[in-house]
Amino acid sequence: MSEAWAKLRQQPWIWSFIAMIAVWLATIAFTRGQGSGEILTAALSFATFTIIIGLGQMMVITTGPGNVDLSIPATITLAGVVAMKIMDTDNARLLIGIAAALGVSFLVGLFNYGLIRLLRIPPIIATLSSSFLILSTAISYGRGIRIKPPPMLADFATATLLGVPLLAFLVLALSIIIALILKRTSYGRTVLAIGQNPRAARFAGLNVDLARFATYMLSALLAGLCGIVLSGFSGGAALNMGEGFLLASIAVVVIGGTSVAGGRANVPGVWGAALFTYLLDTMLNIFGANAGIRLIMTGLIIIAVITIAGGDRQQR
Amino acid sequence: DTKDKKIALSNNYAGNSWRQSMLKSWDKVTKQAVADGVVAAADPFTTSENQVTEQAAQIQNLILQGYNAIVINAASPDALNGVVKQACDAGITVVSFDGIVTEPCAWRIAVDFKKMGAVQLDYLADKMKDGGNLLEIRGLAGVFVDDAIHKGIEEGVAKHPQFKVVGSVHGDWAQEVAQKAVAGILPSLPEVKAVVTQGGDGYGAAQAFKAAGRPTPLIIMGNRQDELAWWKEQKDANGYETMSVSIAPGVSTLAFWVAQMVLDGKQVPKDLVVPFLRINQADLEKSLETTEKGGVANVEYSKEDAEKVVAGK
Amino acid sequence: MDALVLNRKTLRALLPLFSLAIVLFATFYAQPRTMSYFGLNLMLQYAVPIALATVAQMFVITVNDLDLSIGPFVGLIGCIGATYLHDTPLLGIAALVACIALYAAMAALIYLRNLPSIVVTLGASFVWLGIAVLILPSPGGKASDWLKAIMSLQVPVVPFPIVAALAIAALVHVGLMTSAYGVIMRGTGGNPRAMARAGWSELKTKMAMYALAGVFGVLSGLSLIGLTTSADAHIADRYTLYAIAGVILGGGEFVGGRVSPFGAVLGALTLALAGSFLIFMRISPDWQIGAQGAILIIVLALRAIISTGEARR
Amino acid sequence: MDVSKPAVELTAIAKSFGAVRALSGVDLILEPGECLGLVGHNGAGKSTLMHVLAGTLKADSGSLKIAGEDVSQAFSAAGASAHGIRCVFQELSLCPNLTIAENVRIVHRALKGFGWKAKAHGLIRQKLDEIFPGHGIDVDQEAGDLNIGQRQMAEIARAFTITDEPLRVVILDEPTSSLDAVTAKQLLTFMRQEVARGVSTILISHLLADVLDHCDRIAVMKDGKVVAERRAGQFTRNSLVAAMGTTVEKKNTPAAGSRKAAISAARAVEATPQTAPKAGNLVVHKGEIVGLAGLAGHGQTRMLIQIFDGARKSSALTRVEGKVAFIAGDRQSDGIFNLWSIGENTTVSSLEDLKRGPLIAAEREAEMARDWKERIQIRTPDMNNNILTLSGGNQQKALFARTLGSKADIVLMDDPMRGVDVGTKLEVYDMIRQEAGRGRSFIWYTTEIDELSHCDRAYIFRDGAIVAELGPDELTEDKVLHASFAESA
Ligand SMILES: Nc1ncnc2c1ncn2[C@@H]1O[C@H](COP(=O)(O)OP(=O)(O)OP(=O)(O)O)[C@@H](O)[C@H]1O
Ligand SMILES: Nc1ncnc2c1ncn2[C@@H]1O[C@H](COP(=O)(O)OP(=O)(O)OP(=O)(O)O)[C@@H](O)[C@H]1O
Ligand SMILES: [Mg+2]
Ligand SMILES: [Mg+2]
């Protein structure tokens, strides 16, 4: 038992799960058990969106210091707007809409990487700049009009299976695939290697450029995917639909134990952290404290979790 | 005579349908005015983020550009006072609307946000004699509009003590955020009779109730077309009743005319109040018809309408 | 060969200056009225607090960390400045000192527990915002007159913002780039293990750098409300990203202790000016936001052109 | 300073890293004004012992006396420096973002106030001129812009600068690993002068000749203990090697004829240095071992990188037939992945070959790691341990395993024997010859002229150009040095 625990506590993701469970227990203690299951269901359905983009952001952050994709929120918006406008509430146009939305996400990824590689703009600023352009594209294309998703998409996005959102299962599958890619493919190893030492990665014969390209593409495509399903889930695309996801995408990655300095990624941690941040928000809402206190508590709890977890990490 | 006067719109946010509607109304009405030779120019300017400093810098640049009047939807009521004063000192007419500024030299076209909160409770008190539990969806913490509407709701609750706010979440005026927050708090709440909002979050709230398998309470709507359409659907299916209240984005055009009148040398009181746009059960179909699909219920002002408002009629 | 390397190095050091010059001339070209004492003063005023925040960020980047909380921190300082500092100066000063101490404490926590600075400062950003919302639930407060007086200082010949920016850059340059202790600070970013082997405490260095970041955050917040005359919890949310962009634009690097105070300040000015330039360009409102991105890209692309072929580790 | 007392007295020093016992009770004495040589296989504990002495690692037990004063309690890096102990660490410790002059300030607390920079300048420039005349280092350059040899020179010079703190003991851990023969000689000569002035030095090196010729006394470490300690004159090369526990050296230079048969006529590489396209070019045949020599920093690494890049994207100046692999000499910045295990570091260049279906097979990966641990004798209890738990020389072995284990046809070696012990070197030389016999080509930059004897031919570099080509019979120290200094044609 104690040995299992000793092994478990070495895992960087364990702390986000412990935090999540602690927050959940505190919440249901407050409500005297009322709604304990429903809260978890809600957490799962909302956390999936954060997890989708978190996985992309995780890959980007893993490629090393300075790498972060700030264009995710704008890409979510653009993909959502494009999908909804092309689908135009018509089930028959579902696939074209998805293809178009993923197509523009592809272009976003290409553009981001072009800025980073060809113009050698530091990723953080390249993606910030491109996010402005992407948002403008969404504004000028969508005109701020909110179109409902086709019923099939809406049903799919809100469907549940055995009380668990269908999307959560799919995102679980996606997570397993990404974890496998990271551990067991040369692309994944290359990403981890670049994050530790890009020069050494080049000399070890790894294809550094291709891996970085693929990573920014992956992040953009996952953001696009999130845009599509989120529009389906929440009844349409809006220009501000991505706003909450900027800090969230970074937060779930780093709270989940992925190294900010690159070279170490953690898929289960993204789940733990996404659920934790959602439940934390819910807990503070349910406690009914005023906004200032809620914000302070949010910050302090994040710092507390990372502090408890941090001592066991080898590197920052 | 204002035919060689130039007016600018200083806007600080474009990321939601209300603001897009506002810009569209501005575009429609001022293009016509320019074509008619009423003014020489009426250019809209938007900053990328809802930030005081960016808007302040923007206004300073507008001063340099030599506009005769600047119409402002301000990011903060006090924090732009410095630059508004600079504009006034440079002889520029400043008209603020929706997000008004407190600097005395500027004109203010205010919406009584507090009342917007209070009427929701009055409506509910009328509808539900026994009162009940309420869920409040607020906006972005620390912003003036959020505070004002919230105070209105608090006052309303004090006036109608049969109501009790059992839960309050910040939806940051974004549907996804609101839906997320409501879904989270809902399982912990007792039966909710009604949801009071700040506009635009009604549809998201309805979705969250549906997803949680709870009976749909009375949700106050915020004039968006998707909300009205949902309301209509419910009304047709089960006679659902509610009201909808928000500010018409076309208030930007009122501000435009006010600026034009001031430039024209007309006497215009510094403080004007515009009524918010309220849609009742009976007006639903009509409003839905006139509202663009995916847009916001709107009222645009003609010069005559504006003169009526100024005259206090 | 050596001369070539040197040239390229000098070029890179001058890059921020080039970027600024290009944006400045583009602005002059688009709106000749800006080419005056009054014009520059107006246009660059709001760059001063951004420059200070950028310098604060630079201190943290020097020791290989990243501060995601500087924006909300500046907002918090603004709120303290417009309330306590104005009403009860002693309490205000104590609060500001406490804020700086909290920054240093953050560094201690990050070092002692070997934590990623991004997460800790992300958490701290919520804390700062929360305290700010508690102090000022809705925008308001009043900046002290002396703050307003400083920020509207009229300096002969050269506009005050330029003088202030250069003074800030020079001061920091002397402290960080030429003083004997500056070497220790930068060395800690370059090779913390080597510094430890030479017997320097990384803990103390980090705390000192964060405390300095706190000091410049305080200066930024105070100068900001000196301009806006009142405060708002969200007044500086965007500063976090601006400050990072400014440091990078100024030639700083995320890891390895390579930073440039002059570069950072010039970077901040460039960012502020780029916004103005756009306003003079009369772009359609849809694309005004995107144009800001385009400007950033163009300015940074210059870096690529100048530093092509440079294979640095 | 009390001359009668030993400068340093280490008694029963023990230190463990988790399960690894790096030092198990070391006793060592360093007299004032003597030069002590410290040798031992990779991972014997030499560097760890020096870290204890420099105050950068705390021993688990044992006592440490400096000039008779017991400092075992509360000893630190700052304390060591106050007692006049300086250390040039094996893994260099300059700050790459600071200029050389600024790097001097870091070790001298006294350099502050007005004019500190000028003082630092003067100090380091004078010391560099004194130790390495004609060094060509600009002390206003950032350390990161220097090549590894220059960085090593700057760090050595820095250790000998004096301000207010005394200079009693200088520890040199593999100081010549990145220096060419000429600079290494300069350093050793200077070290003798300092010793004559009363400074005690500890010299750690795998070049036994250097130790035998320049030290007064030699201590041999093995598996965390000092196993032999005598006056230098009482050791011969062979007895020293025997004391280190390595099997006695075989005669290893092959008969020229035996290698010739293995070299095919087909060309594997043809390249002209970008820096001097007119001067001469380099040709490597399949199965050939070609050396690159000359003074350090004259473009050999650049040539290797050019060939490396040429394999992926051929250019007018570079033609490469086959896959290439690169063994870094500057292992910290070009070689190791420091979050990964030894195993992961070893297999990273062979991932495509370890796949089963679309995924890398974990057991095949583990097998390759195990296999190479045996073949190249990596000293570790477990290949799943982090790479940084290895001693410097063993890290280098992992890099060898990475490259030799890959499918590359052409192996580029950037002075790869830095810090590798004698025994291992011999094994690796053998391995290289075997691999060449199987048709692999090796291009081998080395700063050790002795190593050229394992090459079939060598090119001498000067100022980025190829100035001479030496055949197998011409690879003597004289001829190489002569060619290195000769004016380019
Ligand atoms: N930080 C560490 N963590 C774990 N083990 C370590 C660490 N540093 C050294 N060791 C282990 O301690 C032992 C002694 O290492 P040390 O670096 O002192 O050897 P060395 O004699 O200097 O070898 P080399 O000649 O290769 O430099 C080795 O087995 C090494 O793996
Ligand atoms: N194209 C390149 N990409 C990356 N690094 C390079 C490149 N060219 C040179 N370098 C690095 O720059 C440094 C100086 O190179 P240079 O060719 O002058 O020295 P060198 O003779 O190969 O060095 P040394 O003899 O010390 O190994 C080397 O450390 C090398 O690794
Ligand atoms: Mg060693
Ligand atoms: Mg080299």
Side-chain angles (χ1 to χ4, degrees), chain D residues 147-148 296-297 300-302 414-415 418 445:
Chain D
N147 67 35
I148 187 168
Q300 298 94 333
T301 301
R302 190 161 298 178
D414 182 20
D415 202 7
R418 291 175 221 205
Y445 166 40

Side-chain angles (χ1 to χ4, degrees), chain C:
Chain C
M1 175 73 200
D2 256 12
L4 201 78
V5 169
L6 240 157
N7 265 337
R8 220 184 269 143
K9 268 207 146 147
T10 333
L11 264 183
R12 201 183 27 196
L14 288 176
L15 211 55
L17 198 59
F18 283 149
S19 318
L20 179 63
I22 287 172
V23 178
L24 195 62
F25 286 123
T27 313
F28 286 163
Y29 179 77
Q31 180 53 265
R33 254 179 264 198
T34 54
M35 209 180 352
S36 64
Y37 182 90
F38 176 71
L40 282 172
N41 201 8
L42 217 48
M43 225 169 25
L44 290 174
Q45 252 182 1
Y46 277 89
V48 175
I50 296 183
L52 286 162
T54 306
V55 169
Q57 181 68 266
M58 189 195 70
F59 282 123
V60 176
I61 288 182
T62 305
V63 286
N64 293 350
D65 283 350
L66 201 59
D67 184 1
L68 293 186
S69 77
I70 189 70
F73 182 74
V74 171
L76 167 63
I77 299 300
C79 290
I80 294 175
T83 53
Y84 298 130
L85 192 64
H86 178 259
D87 308 332
T88 46
L90 277 184
L91 187 61
I93 290 169
L96 295 180
V97 171
C99 284
I100 296 170
L102 278 177
Y103 244 72
M106 208 154 71
L109 182 69
I110 287 171
Y111 175 79
L112 292 173
R113 296 289 296 169
N114 197 12
L115 305 178
S117 60
I118 290 193
V119 192
V120 176
T121 54
L122 182 70
S125 73
F126 289 106
V127 176
W128 307 143
L129 194 59
I131 302 176
V133 168
L134 283 184
I135 295 176
L136 268 186
S138 96
K142 259 199 164 49
S144 307
D145 290 332
W146 58 269
L147 273 176
K148 290 191 250 178
I150 293 178
M151 292 313 290
S152 49
L153 213 60
Q154 300 277 335
V155 189
V157 191
V158 189
F160 171 70
I162 297 181
V163 177
L166 289 179
I168 296 163
L171 182 77
V172 179
H173 181 87
V174 168
L176 192 63
M177 307 308 283
T178 70
S179 86
Y181 285 98
V183 169
I184 306 304
M185 308 290 173
R186 284 183 292 131
T188 303
N191 187 348
R193 203 143 54 114
M195 299 308 295
R197 283 175 178 177
W200 296 98
S201 154
E202 191 180 345
L203 174 64
K204 281 189 200 154
T205 311
K206 272 213 161 144
M207 285 178 71
M209 289 307 258
Y210 273 72
L212 279 170
V215 170
F216 277 82
V218 165
L219 294 177
S220 172
L222 294 182
S223 61
L224 181 55
I225 59 162
L227 290 170
T228 60
T229 70
S230 77
D232 173 339
H234 293 285
I235 198 167
D237 286 357
R238 289 299 281 189
Y239 276 27
T240 303
L241 280 177
Y242 280 168
I244 297 173
V247 174
I248 302 304
L249 210 54
E253 288 171 22
F254 283 110
V255 285
R258 287 196 175 88
V259 293
S260 153
F262 272 103
V265 169
L266 293 177
L269 293 186
T270 310
L271 276 178
L273 264 183
S276 305
F277 171 65
L278 280 175
I279 290 167
F280 300 129
M281 287 287 293
R282 312 265 175 104
I283 296 166
S284 103
D286 286 356
W287 289 98
Q288 281 176 8
I289 296 171
Q292 306 212 1
I295 291 260
L296 268 179
I297 291 170
I298 292 167
V299 169
L300 279 154
L302 288 175
R303 271 166 66 114
I305 293 164
I306 293 184
S307 52
T308 354
E310 200 175 8
R312 274 186 69 88
R313 35 183 84 207

Side-chain angles (χ1 to χ4, degrees), chain A residues 199 202-203, chain C residues 311-313, chain D residues 145-151 178 274 295-303 305-306 309 326 330 334 414-415 418 445 447:
Chain A
R199 272 173 71 87
R202 181 165 83 108
F203 287 132
Chain C
R312 274 186 69 88
R313 35 183 84 207
Chain D
D145 290 341
L146 302 178
N147 67 35
I148 187 168
Q150 292 173 316
R151 292 206 299 270
S178 298
Q274 269 153 1
L295 299 182
H298 279 252
Q300 298 94 333
T301 301
R302 190 161 298 178
M303 182 81 248
I305 291 174
Q306 185 186 328
D309 290 340
F326 187 95
D330 189 351
D334 299 349
D414 182 20
D415 202 7
R418 291 175 221 205
Y445 166 40
T447 45

